[in-house]
Amino acid sequence: MAHILLVEDSPEVSLSVSEILASAGHTTVEAASGKEAIKKLRGAQFDAIVSDIWMPEMDGIELLKEIRGSGNNIPVVVISGGAPNAPLTYTAPLAATFGANVVVYKPFEKAELLKALETVLAD
Amino acid sequence: MTVAPVSSMRSQISEFDRLSAHAHLEAMPTPAVVLDGAGMLVAHNSSAQELLQSEVTAGVGHPVGGLFRVMAERANRTDGVEKPASFEQAIGQVWYHVSAYPVWTSLEGPPLQIIIAEDITRRKRAEFEIRESEARLEEATRIAQLGTYKVYWDTEKVQWSPHMYVIHGLSPDSFKHTPEKYREIIHPEDRELFERYGQMQSQGKALHGAEYRIVRKGTTRWLRLDGRVLFDVKGEPYASFGTCQDVTESKQREQELKNLLRRNAILYEALDASPIGVAVVTTDSIRPEVFYINAEFERLTGYKTSSLAKRSINALRPKDGGGEWDGVMLALQMSDGGSFELSCARSDGTNLLAQLQVAPVRDLPGREATVFVLNLRDITIDRQRAEALLQSQKMEALGQLSGGVAHEINNLLQPVLALSDLGQDIADTDPVKVRKYFEVISSSGRKARDVVRQVLTFARRDVAQLAAYPIGTLVSDALHLLHSGLPPGIKLEYEANASDAQAMVNPTQVSQVVLNLVKNAADAMNGEGMVMVQLGLVDLEQGAADALTLAPGRWIKLQVADSGCGMDAYTLSRVFEPFFTTKEAGKGTGLGLSVVYSIVTGWGGALKLESEVDQGTTAVIYLPAALVVAP
């Protein structure tokens, strides 16, 4: 049972991810952009962050830079719609460079995300 | 025959002798007189009658005048009464050979003189003519710079005309002719040749001539010898004579001509080796005539030089259409150059898609040209290649898009996968939630379908049919496909002020144009900055329209601006060239802007780039408006 900050601009994706997390008994706070996520991080304690990369205002990479820049070591699971071999899109190496603990590629199934989350929470 | 009277005969001449002498005298075909020792006329024949009259001779028994007297006097003066004497004398137009013969009729006293005057006018004239002709020959050889020579084979004696010495640069006084000495003058390489020629002549083999070199005062001269062999009565060659000429200058001209011919041959060969069809056309006559075509031109057109030469270049104009040829004709008429894409009629009746370049050949700059060089190139393959390039560029663009497409689809598949899975777990317990899941799944499915359709539209290889399309929607669709493919630091803004405007375009091509321009803009900013896309209407006035080579009036203006590194004037002048790129290897093909340019001009629109180093670049496209829906 963990308290998760879910950062995702697509309402449909956000819904599906929060439902997965809820099914495992986790509680979720949603943010539609990196900027919103920063605000919400200030107001509450979270066990982990699940974040998309491409978002308006402040994207996932910017968000990671901000979090790690302020010395926060909170586990971050990046969920990416990009293909690993597509050069112009956000890729795992990029996210990993800026401090993501793990990258899960969309579309993922319930078990995939929950397993990744379990791993980062155990660390 | 008149028998001249013989009076006052000396007693010593018997009647028989008298008659015999008389008969002899009369039988002579030439005028003859007999004088006594005192120079008095004793007798004459009838032939002498006329001469005696003209010489004012009174008659027999009187002294003779004129010619005969001169003879008589000469005979006396030389006291050569014992010897016959003769001389030549002209009386008027007639030449006489006058001979005097002493005849003794007794042992005492002076002898009689028989004087015979032979008309030698004809011989004299012949002699004169020979002298004249010799003089003319001498003059002719002098003018022709001909030397003449004669060689006697038995003694090796050589006779040279004065000009022979001039030709050889020798002095008749100092040069003593021997075969050895002459051999020294001959160029070492030609000595053997000259000797062989001499041998042939001495053996009586008449050769036409020989050319050999001599060294004259340190310089090499070419001589030509034309000899004839002279044979004696036994048929043996005894001498050779002929002419000698310095042919150095004509040899040089001959060599120059050979060089020129060789140069021409090389040029022709080079032209025939050219992979481009070359024709030379002259416009001296009323119509432009073909003067020459090279092998490639023959291959391309199917015509041979022989069949096309002297014909009008119009022979290559197709019977149907061929309107582009008007431009060619005009260029020829105006002494102008130009490049034309046209159909060229081949000899077999088929047409060739070709590029014809016309270049005037001017003697002086600005002078009117009457000779033109035409280059003909088969562009069938070029066209195919250009189409293939466009297609491959489109595939490249598709590749670039695939990242964005994958992102879209993946995001849409995410709720489908997750919610259908979760929904199964709660199907019995929470039907309200399940219904909501279905709504999201359904909407995601529809969105995914749209994305796939867009991609298919883009990838379809359709002929660029132009029709009226809502340009605002086309641009926003293209940007939508593109935006997630851009680097994180690139912000994309779209401002549409004429979203209802209809443009005469091809939707696929609109995607290509937007994609290329935005991608170029993003690349110019090193991952950080803003790309501003604006769509609006503009009314172009005459001046502004002329500058863009558009018609004045209403146009749709699509503008893509970046805040990137910009371009210098050199780069700006070349950006529309295919494969010109400033990007690192592997980062771009250099096709983008050239494709944009060809698409936009294909629509009848215009593309203008404004750029300054470090000030960013703005690409402005003017699209033909189809219909503007009033707001």
Side-chain angles (χ1 to χ4, degrees):
Chain A
M1 295 274 272
H3 191 44
I4 313 287
L5 175 62
L6 174 60
V7 194
E8 171 63 67
D9 63 319
S10 158
E12 293 88 350
V13 177
S14 193
L15 170 72
S16 65
V17 175
S18 68
E19 290 297 305
I20 289 171
L21 295 174
S23 73
H26 302 301
T27 52
T28 311
V29 170
E30 292 179 30
S33 72
K35 229 170 204 174
E36 202 181 324
I38 296 288
K39 269 187 211 157
K40 296 202 164 153
L41 269 173
R42 284 195 194 116
Q45 277 290 322
F46 295 99
D47 299 311
I49 297 172
V50 174
S51 174
D52 186 19
I53 295 183
W54 196 91
M55 290 173 291
E57 284 191 280
M58 181 191 272
D59 62 32
I61 303 295
E62 293 295 314
L63 176 64
L64 270 169
K65 283 191 209 164
E66 189 80 26
I67 294 167
R68 299 300 185 223
S70 64
N72 190 341
N73 287 325
I74 186 169
V76 176
V77 176
V78 160
I79 50 173
S80 168
N85 57 352
L88 288 170
T89 52
Y90 297 69
T91 54
L94 188 63
T97 305
F98 292 106
N101 296 73
V102 68
V103 178
V104 181
Y105 289 102
K106 296 173 191 171
F108 46 82
E109 294 191 41
K110 184 174 82 174
E112 264 181 276
L113 178 68
L114 293 177
K115 196 180 169 206
L117 189 64
E118 198 178 306
T119 311
V120 297
L121 286 172
D123 291 343
Chain B
M1 179 190 290
T2 313
V3 177
V6 181
S7 58
S8 180
M9 295 286 274
R10 299 286 176 98
S11 59
Q12 56 257 56
I13 305 170
S14 68
E15 182 63 14
F16 174 78
D17 288 341
R18 195 185 63 81
L19 287 172
S20 162
H22 205 106
H24 273 103
L25 206 59
E26 198 56 45
M28 282 183 184
T30 56
V33 296
V34 180
L35 305 178
D36 66 13
M40 299 299 171
L41 182 65
V42 174
H44 64 86
N45 64 5
S46 48
S47 302
Q49 180 73 44
E50 204 181 325
L51 261 180
L52 289 166
Q53 278 167 5
S54 69
E55 299 291 323
V56 201
T57 301
V60 172
H62 294 277
V64 287
L67 184 68
F68 296 112
R69 200 183 66 200
V70 171
M71 186 64 235
E73 280 172 0
R74 201 178 268 200
N76 287 335
R77 189 171 58 247
T78 54
D79 202 22
V81 284
E82 295 94 356
K83 290 176 196 163
S86 69
F87 67 97
E88 290 175 355
Q89 176 83 36
I91 308 286
Q93 296 292 314
V94 186
W95 273 92
Y96 292 98
H97 181 261
V98 185
S99 321
Y101 303 92
V103 177
W104 282 267
T105 51
S106 71
L107 294 169
E108 300 138 31
L112 294 176
Q113 297 281 347
I114 298 175
I115 299 171
I116 300 163
E118 192 186 349
D119 183 344
I120 54 162
T121 310
R122 192 175 292 175
R123 178 169 66 80
K124 272 289 185 188
R125 192 168 293 151
E127 274 175 16
F128 175 77
E129 276 167 11
I130 287 170
R131 268 205 307 279
E132 180 93 330
S133 125
E134 275 174 351
R136 272 206 303 272
L137 183 66
E138 182 63 32
E139 178 70 0
T141 53
R142 194 184 62 75
I143 291 169
Q145 310 268 295
L146 278 174
T148 56
Y149 71 93
K150 191 168 180 182
V151 188
Y152 294 90
W153 297 119
D154 52 352
T155 57
E156 292 189 330
K157 195 184 146 209
V158 176
Q159 289 173 346
W160 273 13
S161 72
H163 196 68
M164 277 297 269
Y165 291 95
V166 176
I167 289 172
H168 288 81
L170 298 168
S171 155
D173 303 328
S174 58
F175 183 69
K176 294 294 166 253
H177 211 305
T178 66
E180 291 71 30
K181 281 218 164 146
Y182 193 67
R183 195 185 142 83
E184 281 168 24
I185 300 168
I186 296 169
H187 192 286
E189 286 174 22
D190 291 348
R191 282 174 189 163
E192 204 187 320
L193 178 145
F194 184 81
E195 265 163 29
R196 221 168 35 241
Y197 182 71
Q199 276 167 13
M200 297 290 271
Q201 292 255 307
S202 68
Q203 289 162 11
K205 292 169 188 160
L207 295 180
H208 285 303
E211 286 182 351
Y212 61 100
R213 286 163 289 175
I214 58 163
V215 181
R216 188 175 88 186
K217 294 171 184 163
T219 60
T220 302
R221 307 290 297 179
W222 276 95
L223 300 189
R224 180 180 172 81
L225 214 59
D226 281 293
R228 293 288 176 277
V229 182
L230 299 175
F231 297 90
D232 62 17
V233 283
K234 286 180 275 176
E236 296 291 330
Y238 72 95
S240 160
F241 78 102
T243 57
C244 178
Q245 204 177 357
D246 186 331
V247 292
T248 311
E249 276 74 27
S250 84
K251 270 276 176 189
Q252 280 167 352
R253 279 196 296 277
E254 194 180 304
Q255 192 55 45
E256 281 164 16
L257 188 66
K258 269 186 191 162
N259 291 345
L260 195 69
L261 288 174
R262 186 174 143 66
R263 216 172 75 103
N264 275 4
I266 289 171
L267 283 176
Y268 277 122
E269 276 170 32
L271 279 169
D272 277 343
S274 165
I276 293 171
V278 178
V280 177
V281 167
T282 61
T283 54
D284 297 322
S285 58
I286 301 160
R287 52 180 204 174
E289 269 178 12
V290 176
F291 174 77
Y292 162 83
I293 62 177
N294 75 346
E296 176 65 5
F297 204 97
E298 289 184 339
R299 194 186 69 77
L300 288 174
T301 60
Y303 285 107
K304 292 277 154 206
T305 304
S306 51
S307 63
L308 206 58
K310 293 258 168 201
R311 289 180 64 186
S312 166
I313 190 75
N314 247 332
L316 298 175
R317 187 188 192 130
K319 298 263 183 302
D320 310 318
E324 314 94 332
W325 282 88
D326 291 341
V328 177
M329 292 300 161
L330 191 68
L332 295 175
Q333 207 181 322
M334 305 296 290
S335 273
D336 217 346
S339 179
F340 307 88
E341 284 195 5
L342 40 74
S343 275
C344 183
R346 309 180 81 249
S347 63
D348 62 6
T350 59
N351 284 347
L352 172 79
L353 186 63
Q355 185 193 41
L356 185 72
Q357 280 178 306
V358 178
V361 181
R362 297 183 210 278
D363 304 343
L364 290 168
R367 183 79 67 83
E368 208 168 273
T370 53
V371 178
F372 294 81
V373 177
L374 272 55
N375 285 352
L376 188 72
R377 218 162 53 79
D378 182 353
I379 56 168
T380 317
I381 292 168
D382 288 18
R383 280 274 172 93
Q384 287 168 352
R385 199 172 287 163
E387 277 167 28
L389 259 180
L390 265 176
Q391 178 66 5
S392 75
Q393 205 276 339
K394 209 156 82 172
M395 295 316 288
E396 184 195 329
L398 184 63
Q400 288 163 0
L401 272 182
S402 66
V405 172
H407 185 269
E408 286 292 305
I409 299 286
N410 290 341
N411 268 301
L412 293 165
L413 279 175
Q414 183 56 54
V416 175
L417 269 184
L419 297 180
S420 56
D421 189 10
L422 291 167
Q424 282 173 37
D425 297 342
I426 56 167
D428 301 327
T429 54
D430 195 346
V432 180
K433 208 170 202 179
V434 169
R435 190 170 295 118
K436 185 173 164 50
Y437 284 3
F438 278 141
E439 278 167 17
V440 173
I441 288 168
S442 167
S443 121
S444 295
R446 276 195 297 275
K447 281 183 184 167
R449 181 195 61 193
D450 291 345
V451 170
V452 169
R453 274 187 188 162
Q454 272 180 306
V455 173
L456 286 178
T457 310
F458 183 80
R460 191 180 303 133
R461 191 185 187 286
D462 51 353
V463 183
Q465 289 287 350
L466 302 186
Y469 286 96
I471 185 68
T473 314
L474 291 182
V475 172
S476 70
D477 282 354
L479 291 175
H480 185 67
L481 271 178
L482 182 68
H483 80 302
S484 50
L486 292 174
I490 303 294
K491 302 294 172 230
L492 182 61
E493 288 220 0
Y494 178 41
E495 190 184 301
N497 295 318
S499 43
D500 293 334
Q502 301 270 323
M504 288 300 288
V505 290
N506 171 284
T508 311
Q509 291 181 331
V510 171
S511 311
Q512 271 181 284
V513 166
V514 171
L515 176 86
N516 275 307
L517 290 181
V518 173
K519 211 183 149 301
N520 271 340
D523 289 345
M525 294 189 293
N526 290 321
E528 198 102 353
M530 156 93 85
V531 180
M532 184 77 193
V533 180
Q534 285 170 302
L535 185 71
L537 292 170
V538 63
D539 287 310
L540 289 179
E541 286 173 12
Q542 189 72 54
D546 284 350
L548 294 162
T549 61
L550 295 174
R554 175 151 290 196
W555 290 84
I556 295 163
K557 185 177 169 186
L558 175 67
Q559 190 167 305
V560 179
D562 67 56
S563 53
C565 56
M567 284 180 277
D568 55 27
Y570 170 76
T571 308
L572 197 58
S573 71
R574 294 193 55 190
V575 286
F576 296 128
E577 289 174 25
F579 303 109
F580 177 80
T581 182
T582 58
K583 295 172 190 172
E584 292 164 44
K587 289 280 178 68
T589 57
L591 279 172
L593 275 175
S594 67
V595 166
V596 170
Y597 180 80
S598 73
I599 288 174
V600 172
T601 50
W603 292 337
L607 167 60
K608 200 175 87 177
L609 282 184
E610 290 161 358
S611 186
E612 264 180 55
V613 176
D614 296 330
Q615 298 295 307
T617 303
T618 302
V620 186
I621 290 172
Y622 295 87
L623 310 176
L627 176 74
V628 183
V629 179

